[in-house]
């Protein structure tokens, strides 16, 4: 299964992608996480991405497309869930070209819709583990022990781009450059809009209903073709 999660920064894409990856045995391919790893390793790509990420702008399409093609090539046969990519029309068109040529199209695009006030609260309360990338929230999805990662005991940090001024820029960038993808995937007939204002378990359940429905449909088509 090949899935794209769309939604504003802070909508909960990473949180849901991690769950979907576990539940369906998919790779979680997060462009933001890959860029943060590149930065931590001090690679050329990481250095080039730095100023764009810190200011809330997007990294250039050619760098991102090359980076994500590589990640997709290395994904297991079971498939993947894309988180934060594509984020511009050019990225979506390029992804479509590559997947169409290989006859492995995207099965579903899930758009998480969340009210603005909730988005701001989610981003200001987000804390992440710099070692394993786990994501928490200071009130909504707390670690077992305050300020410390459940998995490896590392002290949690606030992402520098969750600073209020950068958040404003990221939300404007999203409105301008990413929202056109909603129409793009709607026209392809693979868009599923999901109200993601509720708790993470509720959102998870609704997404799974959509994906399980697709899997059931696919199995009955396969049976009919036998
Ligand atoms: P994105 O990947 O879309 O930027 P994240 O998954 O990192 O968003 O979530 C942003 C913040 O909101 C994190 O602190 C996360 O723990 C929290 N969060 C995610 N989903 C929910 C939810 N359904 N309800 C409440 N908080 C959530
Ligand atoms: P995220 O972790 O998805 O919030 O992404 C963090 C930052 O990484 C963004 O604000 C961008 O600067 C950069 N980034 C992540 N994904 C992309 C993408 N698909 N295209 C361009 N820039 C990206």
């Amino acid at each position: 299964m090949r899935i794209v999660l769309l939604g504003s920064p802070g909508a909960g894409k990473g949180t849901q992608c991690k769950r979907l990856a576990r539940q369906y045995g998919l790779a979680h391919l997060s462009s933001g996480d890959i860029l943060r790893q590149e930065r931590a390793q001090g690679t050329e790509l990481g250095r080039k991405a730095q100023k764009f990420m810190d200011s809330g702008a997007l990294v250039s399409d050619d760098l991102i497309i090359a980076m994500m093609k590589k990640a997709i090539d290395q994904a297991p046969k079971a498939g993947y869930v894309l988180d934060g990519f594509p984020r511009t029309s050019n990225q979506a068109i390029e992804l479509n070209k590559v997947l169409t040529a290989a006859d492995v199209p995207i099965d579903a695009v899930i758009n998480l819709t969340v009210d603005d006030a909730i988005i701001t609260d989610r981003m200001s309360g987000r804390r992440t583990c710099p070692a394993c990338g786990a994501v928490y929230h200071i009130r909504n999805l707390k670690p077992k022990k305050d300020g410390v990662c459940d998995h490896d005991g590392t002290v949690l940090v606030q992402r520098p781009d969750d600073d209020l001024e950068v958040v404003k820029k990221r939300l404007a960038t999203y409105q301008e450059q990413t929202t056109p993808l909603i129409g793009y995937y709607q026209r392809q007939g693979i868009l599923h809009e999901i109200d993601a204002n509720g708790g993470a378990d509720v959102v998870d359940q609704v997404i799974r209903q959509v994906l399980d429905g697709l899997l059931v449909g696919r199995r009955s088509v396969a049976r009919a073709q036998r």
Side-chain angles (χ1 to χ4, degrees):
M1 203 158 39
R2 290 166 298 277
I3 312 292
V4 170
L5 253 77
L6 279 185
S8 159
K13 299 181 297 297
T15 301
Q16 295 302 328
C17 283
K18 285 188 175 70
R19 291 171 179 232
L20 293 175
R22 232 184 2 253
Q23 288 152 355
Y24 293 91
L26 306 172
H28 172 202
L29 307 182
S30 157
S31 47
D33 284 353
I34 299 174
L35 288 169
R36 280 182 286 276
Q37 277 161 19
E38 296 279 344
R39 284 181 65 167
Q41 290 162 7
T43 65
E44 195 190 341
L45 170 58
R47 279 198 302 277
K48 282 183 179 162
Q50 196 164 333
K51 65 173 185 296
F52 299 102
M53 296 173 78
D54 290 347
S55 68
L58 294 184
V59 177
S60 70
D61 281 342
D62 48 346
L63 289 180
I64 293 288
I65 290 166
M67 176 183 95
M68 294 309 287
K69 271 188 189 166
K70 189 170 153 204
I72 288 172
D73 275 350
Q74 292 169 352
K77 224 172 170 281
Y80 48 80
V81 50
L82 292 175
D83 167 7
F85 174 83
R87 223 164 170 126
T88 65
S89 297
N90 278 342
Q91 292 178 17
I93 289 166
E94 192 56 32
L95 176 68
N96 195 40
K97 263 194 222 156
V98 171
L99 299 185
T100 305
D103 197 22
V104 285
I106 294 295
D107 296 296
V109 177
I110 308 282
N111 184 33
L112 301 180
T113 60
V114 180
D115 297 345
D116 289 350
I118 293 184
I119 285 287
T120 314
D121 173 69
R122 287 188 185 173
M123 286 166 100
S124 63
R126 170 160 51 192
R127 298 291 181 274
T128 58
C129 173
C132 73
V135 178
Y136 302 89
H137 189 278
I138 50 171
R139 284 178 301 278
N140 307 337
L141 290 158
K142 293 163 72 152
K144 291 194 186 89
K145 186 172 168 222
D146 272 354
V148 175
C149 181
D150 291 348
H151 306 296
D152 48 36
T154 306
V155 174
L156 302 178
V157 296
Q158 188 164 20
R159 274 172 50 173
D161 60 349
D162 278 345
D163 161 87
L164 192 60
E165 281 312 304
V166 185
V167 162
K168 281 190 202 154
K169 171 77 176 61
R170 289 166 66 203
L171 293 175
T173 303
Y174 167 76
Q175 279 303 330
E176 198 181 299
Q177 303 201 51
T178 309
T179 53
L181 301 195
I182 298 168
Y184 176 79
Y185 286 120
Q186 205 161 31
R187 288 189 290 280
Q188 294 191 3
I190 56 173
L191 184 81
H192 302 265
E193 297 267 10
I194 287 188
D195 177 344
N197 286 298
D201 290 344
V202 176
V203 177
D204 179 2
Q205 217 173 6
V206 180
I207 298 176
R208 274 191 289 145
Q209 271 168 12
V210 170
L211 298 184
D212 290 344
L214 288 178
L215 288 174
V216 169
R218 195 190 275 180
R219 274 188 221 115
S220 46
V221 169
R223 262 198 307 275
Q225 285 171 344
R226 263 188 238 134

